[in-house]
Every structure is written in C-alpha cells, then in structure tokens.
C-alpha cells in the first residue's frame, strides 16, 4: 500500500558465547537479511593470512608450493585487520612486505640435527608484529577442558640433515578472494520452530501410544513425563523439520496431533570462528560491513533519482 512503511528493527539475543563459538537469536527480520549476514561473515569480513612465500632453503620431502599452501591456511590473529589497508590499495609501499600499513613479515628457520623427527609447526613462525601471530589453540582447549596440544599446527616434518628456511608476507584479504582469509569455520542459521501439541487429541492416546509417538522423533524434541504422563516439548530447536512425528500421528489416525511451523521472522545462528578473530568480533564486523553495503545501495538509489531529475547533466557531473 502506498505510504506504508516496512521498516523493521531486528533484535539480537545472545544465547552462548565463547572466544571461538557463538549462538544467538536474530528476530524481527526476514530470511534475506539473515542470509546476507551469514554470507558476509563467511566471505567478506577481512582477516590476515600469509600470501607470499620466499623459500631460501627447502630440503624436506614437501615441495615449495605445498609448503606455501600450508602456510597460507594457518590462521593468524587478525584483530587489526579492519584498520589495515588492502595491499592493492596501499600507496605507502610497493608490495614487498616492508610496510606497516598493509603487511606483516614472518620468518622461519628450522633444521634437524638428531635422529628424532623434528616437527616444524606454526610456533616456529616469527612475526615482525606481535599482534599478528599464528593462533594458539591451547587457550581454547583449556577453556573446554580438552587435552592440551601446545605444539601448534604442523607445517612439515624434518629428518636428520633436512632444513627449511623461508620468509613469508601476510596481507589483509577476504574469503571471497580465497578461503584462507575466511574468519569462519562454519556459520549456519535455522528458522525457529513453533510447536503446538493438541492436548485434547493427545489425551485420547494410551500411555503406550504416547511413548511410541515420542520415540518416533529422531531428535529429543518431546518427552513423556513419568508422573503426569503428559507429553511436553523440551527441546524445540532440536527439531530438524523431518516431519516424522506428523507422519506417525497420521499413521495412528490422529492427524492434527501436533502443529509445527517455522517462524519466518526468527532465526537461530550458530557461528564457529577459525580463531583469527573472536566469534563476537566476527559478528560485529559483519554487521558493520553489511551496514556499509546497505549505505552504498541507498547512495546508488539516490544517484539514480538524481539522474532522473537532472537527466544527462547529473550523469555528466559523475563522469558518465
């Protein structure tokens, strides 16, 4: 309708938050905005990753290209990535890595002097910037109570006499250009399910029928109270939209026993970070970037309106 406003004010509610994991609700918006946020988190939030490798000595069993590829996939702490320049846009250097605005230099020197196999890991990379270093996963392992592995990410293994010496340049980039720059391990969202049990129809079932119906659900969404014998919804988010309980109810001659719908304006996000940036910062950076994109679209619409109003003069002033 003319004059109507479809402006929405999305709301976010954090359910669980750790350095490398976040679960939150996004409400009062639609699937297009939810999917846009998901795609931005995966492909357009910048991080820092090794992009250029100069190998001086390599007598290991892996060739130079293999090692360079493995180095590129090592996640680096990227808190300052948003303030860095892209190397292609930096006017302070020629891209050789000697620039504080767009790059970070790493060195690695390792040689095996014993009969014991030497593991060359991400901890052997020495950075020119203490704020940009390989991610240390021992902290997250300690937080979750897992066994600690302080060796780092293995790059190559050396035997006696084998040596590896190299120089690497890390640059700012986004996952759209290469997966090594993606800050997200996984980003998923699902529609929040709305589940309503027809209590009157449920009371017509025997105890054994109730138990059989509850067990027909592949995930633990429903539970039968051992005292009251009432069927309860205990974990609605575990529902995978498989329709098994609906089919079971129909097979029992009790169609309409449960009504399950997806709320089209409410989404549950699960975000796992690679460790390059914290999950909370990943979400905030993605929102900032999405706002910039929407501002660009708004500006583009204003430009089109100006062209319609001023015709060829407006296009000529913009160089069109």
């Amino acid at each position: 309708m003319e004059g109507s406003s479809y402006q929405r004010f999305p709301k976010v509610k954090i359910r669980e938050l750790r350095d490398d994991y976040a679960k939150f609700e996004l409400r009062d918006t639609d699937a297009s905005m939810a999917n846009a946020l998901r795609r931005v988190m995966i492909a357009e939030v910048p991080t820092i990753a090794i992009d250029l490798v100069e190998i001086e000595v390599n007598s290991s069993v892996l060739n130079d290209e293999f090692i360079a590829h493995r180095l590129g996939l090592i996640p680096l702490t990227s808190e300052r990535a948003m303030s860095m320049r892209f190397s292609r846009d930096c006017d302070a250097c020629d891209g050789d890595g000697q620039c504080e605005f767009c790059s970070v230099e790493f060195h690695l020197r390792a040689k095996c002097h014993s009969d014991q196999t030497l593991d060359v890991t991400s901890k052997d990379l020495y950075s020119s910037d203490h704020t940009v270093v390989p991610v240390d996963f021992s902290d997250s392992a300690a937080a979750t109570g897992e066994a600690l592995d302080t060796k780092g990410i293995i790059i190559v293994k050396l035997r006696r006499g084998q040596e590896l010496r190299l120089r690497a340049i890390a640059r700012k980039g986004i996952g759209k250009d290469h997966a090594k720059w993606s800050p997200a391990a996984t980003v998923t969202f699902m529609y929040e399910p709305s589940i309503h049990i027809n209590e009157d129809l449920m009371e017509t079932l025997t105890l054994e029928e109730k138990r059989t119906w509850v067990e027909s659900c592949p995930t633990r969404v429903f539970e039968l109270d051992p005292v009251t014998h009432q069927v309860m919804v205990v974990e609605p988010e575990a529902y995978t939209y498989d329709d098994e309980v609906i089919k079971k109810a129909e097979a029992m001659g009790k169609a309409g026993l449960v009504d399950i719908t997806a709320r089209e304006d409410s989404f549950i996000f699960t975000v796992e970070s690679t460790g390059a940036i914290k999950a909370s910062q990943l979400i905030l950076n993605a929102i900032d970037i999405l706002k910039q994109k929407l501002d660009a679209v708004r500006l583009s619409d204003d430009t089109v309106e100006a062209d319609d109003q001023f015709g060829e003069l407006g296009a000529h002033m913009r160089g069109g």
Side-chain angles (χ1 to χ4, degrees):
M1 184 185 299
E2 187 176 353
S4 297
S5 173
Y6 294 96
Q7 185 176 10
R8 289 184 171 187
F9 299 93
K11 298 180 181 65
V12 173
K13 179 183 178 182
I14 303 295
R15 290 194 176 183
E16 186 178 348
L17 188 61
R18 300 195 300 268
D19 283 352
D20 61 348
Y21 178 85
K23 187 174 186 179
F24 65 93
E25 300 172 10
L26 178 65
R27 299 180 181 275
D28 298 336
T29 187
D30 56 24
S32 64
M33 186 58 67
N35 196 45
L37 181 61
R38 182 189 70 87
R39 291 173 65 94
V40 169
M41 279 193 273
I42 293 173
E44 300 201 43
V45 173
T47 63
I48 304 168
I50 291 175
D51 193 41
L52 175 65
V53 180
E54 297 176 357
I55 294 185
E56 302 172 23
V57 178
N58 177 22
S59 55
S60 72
V61 295
L62 299 184
N63 59 46
D64 295 355
E65 292 81 3
F66 204 119
I67 292 175
H69 183 260
R70 289 179 68 83
L71 289 169
L73 294 176
I74 294 174
L76 307 176
T77 53
S78 304
E79 283 79 8
R80 58 173 287 228
M82 290 288 282
S83 61
M84 284 179 65
R85 301 173 185 173
F86 287 101
S87 58
R88 60 179 177 268
D89 299 329
C90 185
D91 55 5
C93 70
D94 57 3
D96 62 352
Q98 306 290 334
C99 178
E100 61 179 314
F101 301 108
C102 72
S103 58
V104 179
E105 187 172 348
F106 287 84
H107 289 275
L108 187 150
R109 293 178 177 84
K111 185 172 183 178
C112 182
H113 298 282
S114 68
D115 292 331
Q116 186 73 25
T117 300
L118 175 66
D119 292 341
V120 181
T121 72
S122 55
K123 291 195 177 250
D124 295 310
L125 284 168
Y126 295 94
S127 172
S128 62
D129 185 341
H130 70 278
T131 65
V132 181
V133 295
V135 173
D136 184 0
F137 292 101
S138 61
D139 293 339
S140 58
T144 56
E146 298 176 4
L148 294 179
D149 182 5
T150 58
K151 294 188 301 182
I153 300 170
I154 293 181
I155 300 170
V156 67
K157 295 187 176 185
L158 302 179
R159 295 294 287 177
R160 178 186 282 276
Q162 293 180 339
E163 184 179 6
L164 179 63
R165 291 204 313 266
L166 58 86
R167 170 178 175 264
I169 305 300
R171 295 173 176 146
K172 174 181 177 177
I174 58 176
K176 185 185 289 185
D177 296 331
H178 194 286
K180 67 185 178 184
W181 278 301
S182 178
T186 60
V187 180
T188 62
F189 73 84
M190 63 172 286
Y191 289 100
E192 183 176 2
S194 177
I195 304 175
H196 299 284
I197 296 175
N198 187 327
E199 297 293 348
D200 294 335
L201 202 54
M202 183 63 72
E203 288 302 316
T204 65
L205 299 181
T206 65
L207 180 60
E208 186 59 32
E209 287 176 330
K210 289 180 181 179
R211 184 177 293 109
T212 302
W213 183 79
V214 168
E215 292 174 353
S216 70
C217 185
T219 52
R220 187 176 175 273
V221 178
F222 306 95
E223 188 176 82
L224 182 63
D225 191 296
V227 178
T228 63
H229 298 160
Q230 296 289 319
V231 176
M232 304 175 295
V233 180
V234 291
E235 194 67 40
E237 292 166 25
Y239 187 68
T240 56
Y241 296 97
D242 47 57
D243 290 344
E244 289 297 323
V245 290
I246 296 176
K247 294 175 184 176
K248 183 64 176 178
E250 292 174 350
M252 296 168 67
K254 303 293 182 180
L257 181 63
V258 64
D259 179 51
I260 304 176
T261 57
R263 297 183 56 182
E264 296 186 356
D265 64 344
S266 183
F267 309 90
I268 301 168
F269 272 79
T270 301
V271 179
E272 294 183 27
S273 168
T274 61
I277 56 177
K278 293 182 179 180
S280 57
Q281 194 60 50
L282 169 58
I283 297 167
L284 293 174
N285 289 354
I287 292 173
D288 286 342
I289 292 169
L290 187 56
K291 286 168 62 179
Q292 293 171 15
K293 286 179 168 291
L294 293 174
D295 288 340
V297 171
R298 187 180 298 111
L299 180 62
S300 176
D301 289 342
D302 292 343
T303 303
V304 171
E305 291 178 6
D307 287 348
D308 292 341
Q309 183 174 358
F310 297 106
E312 294 182 1
L313 177 61
H316 176 72
M317 292 177 65
R318 291 188 291 104

